[in-house]
Each structure stands twice: as structure tokens, then as C-alpha cells.
Amino acid sequence: MEKKRKQIALVTGASSGMGRCFVRQIAATYPSLQEIWVIARREKALRELKTEAEQKSGRGRPEIRILPLDLSRKHSFSELELLLAKEKPRLRLLVNGAGVGQNGPVEKQGADGICAMTDVNCRALTLVTRLCLPYMERGSRILELASGSAFLPQPGFAVYAASKAYVLSFSRALREEVKKRGISVTAVCPGPVDTAFFQAGGICLSPVKRRFLADADRVVEKALRDARKGKCLSIYGISMKLVYAASAILPEGMLVKISAALLR
């Protein structure tokens, strides 16, 4: 008799910021899941999250399963691939929340920082998605954490914005590829969110962006709701919706100049 496969969610970047919020909210609102696999480098932070989430949702379901993996390193993907092949779970929800950011002129950024942004924001997100797809089925949902930065090039934030434009483009194309399988893909595109992300990357926000800092729990709540509705995009807040609308109407050259002025 075939062993019954576990229903799970998988969240990357789970140790802090929006990834952590996703884990808490998924644990509270998806009792049918047996496990939530949480991925991040900091094992201690993941253990703290496990304790917190299980206290709020009870000791029943879902169980938080800790996977301390560094997605900037190739061996992490081999470990995840082997674990998936061994467990063969039914992956109901994938949240790619891991991300790295830095700002400043490109020529003044270190090579390690630039590579980290492209490696984690683009390569890791793509590979995790690829590894998870064979274990997803009709009704499964993928949430790819992009950004409002994906809508327009941003001088002074060039590499980060470009990496998020990749996530947006990838999500849109993937959505079409998996549509016949009944899998939905939602690109989550918030503006600046009030988390430790900016401090971790040494990012100095402009006064304009500080004015529009969003609450992480509200952004995540909307993202999960939009994913349940099968939406292509989840855009939180009027300001980001206006940016998205402007990106479709105004000439790109004008948008870049406006973006540069706001960042200054």
C-alpha cells in the first residue's frame, strides 16, 4: 500500500522579515498542512520561529520543519533535491521569500554584494522553484517575492531593481507554463516594507520611501489572499498601484529620471 504523502508548504527566507510573517500566517490559517519547511541560513532564528509558530497554532498541525540552508551555496540545492526525492511531499504552497539588497552606484558596490543579489534573488529563486515543481499538483500555489522595484529601473538601486524585474518576468512566464496543471503563480510586488531588510543590506531609504513603509503582516495577508484568488500580481497599497499604472503609461526615460529624483 502506497504511503500517504504529506501536505506541506515551503518558505525560503523564513528567519526574518516577510518570510517569517508568511510562516506565522500559513501556520495559523492552513491547518490541513502537516508541515511547513522553513529555509534560511540562521538555524537559531528558525528554531525561535518554530517555537513561536507552534505556540500560536498549537502542537498539532502544521509542524515547523527546520532546514538551515544557505541559498547562496550550490550544495544547498543538492540537499533540498535529495530531501524532496526522499519525502515526496504534496507541496501545496511555495513561498520564495529569500532576498538580498544593497543600494548605491554600481561602481561603488563590491563584487560580493552584487553577486549576492543576483545569486539569491534570481538564481536561488529559480532553482528552488524548479526543484519544487515536480511535487506540486492542481491547486498548488507559488508566491515569488518580487518588489515594486520590478516596475521600473532605479538609478542607485540598479542591480536590486533589475533582479526583481527578473523575478516578475519569470513569474509571469512560469504562470503560463503551469496553468494547464492547475498551479497558480503570484508575483508579490510591495513597495518598501517595515522589516530589518534595509538594515541588513545597509540600505539608506530616501525620505519619500520612508513615508510609504508598509506593515509586513498586512502585505503578507494580502499576498496570501491574492494567491488564493489566483491573481498574477499582488500589489499592496495605493502608492505602488500608481507606480505600476505609471510604468505602463509613461515613457521609460521619464520614469528613470523620476525614480532617480525620488531616490535622491
Side-chain angles (χ1 to χ4, degrees):
M1 184 175 177
E2 185 181 357
K3 183 180 177 182
K4 190 173 181 180
R5 295 162 61 199
K6 293 178 184 175
Q7 294 196 59
I8 73 163
L10 188 150
V11 181
T12 71
S15 61
S16 64
M18 288 180 61
R20 192 179 185 95
C21 291
F22 269 109
V23 175
R24 288 199 302 255
Q25 292 197 27
I26 291 169
T29 57
Y30 288 83
S32 62
L33 295 173
Q34 276 82 47
E35 293 181 353
I36 303 175
W37 294 10
V38 294
I39 294 178
R41 290 178 300 170
R42 296 182 295 149
E43 185 173 355
K44 181 181 178 182
L46 291 179
R47 293 199 177 280
E48 291 170 354
L49 171 62
K50 175 181 172 71
T51 300
E52 177 189 349
E54 290 182 347
Q55 283 176 346
K56 289 187 176 180
S57 62
R59 289 285 177 182
R61 294 179 178 177
E63 179 185 347
I64 305 299
R65 185 164 182 174
I66 294 171
L67 304 178
L69 301 174
D70 183 347
L71 295 180
S72 67
R73 299 186 179 278
K74 291 183 180 180
H75 69 81
S76 295
F77 304 102
S78 298
E79 290 184 32
L80 179 59
E81 184 176 22
L82 289 171
L83 181 60
L84 286 166
K86 178 184 176 183
E87 299 274 340
K88 294 181 174 57
R90 295 174 63 197
L91 186 47
R92 308 301 296 166
L93 195 63
L94 168 63
V95 179
N96 266 308
V100 178
Q102 287 186 2
N103 67 342
V106 172
E107 67 175 321
K108 292 186 178 179
Q109 292 185 22
D112 288 346
I114 288 175
C115 288
M117 282 186 279
T118 54
D119 281 351
V120 176
N121 299 355
C122 302
R123 183 176 63 87
L125 175 142
T126 306
L127 288 175
V128 169
T129 303
R130 164 63 187 85
L131 293 175
C132 289
L133 278 171
Y135 304 94
M136 307 189 87
E137 54 192 39
R138 182 167 295 277
S140 293
R141 304 182 186 107
I142 300 172
L143 291 93
E144 308 285 24
L145 268 289
S147 165
S149 300
F151 300 143
L152 70 163
Q154 294 194 32
F157 224 1
V159 178
Y160 178 80
S163 73
K164 292 304 183 178
Y166 169 89
V167 174
L168 178 57
S169 177
F170 172 71
S171 300
R172 284 170 161 166
L174 179 67
R175 178 182 175 85
E176 187 64 24
E177 289 183 6
V178 300
K179 184 167 63 176
K180 290 182 179 179
R181 291 179 55 195
I183 300 170
S184 71
V185 181
T186 303
V188 183
C189 301
V193 181
D194 191 8
T195 68
F197 173 81
F198 300 106
Q199 294 92 323
I203 297 170
C204 182
L205 282 179
S206 68
V208 173
K209 284 196 171 187
R210 285 192 177 279
R211 192 174 300 171
F212 293 102
L213 275 176
D215 178 75
D217 280 314
R218 291 184 178 181
V219 174
V220 168
E221 182 181 0
K222 186 179 190 307
L224 289 171
R225 186 167 64 247
D226 287 341
R228 285 194 293 271
K229 293 177 181 178
K231 290 189 175 183
C232 178
L233 295 176
S234 180
I235 305 173
Y236 180 87
I238 295 175
S239 61
M240 277 303 104
K241 290 177 181 177
L242 290 173
V243 171
Y244 176 63
S247 70
I249 298 170
L250 299 177
E252 188 174 89
M254 182 183 296
L255 288 169
V256 174
K257 288 180 181 179
I258 293 171
S259 175
L262 291 176
L263 284 171
R264 283 196 297 269

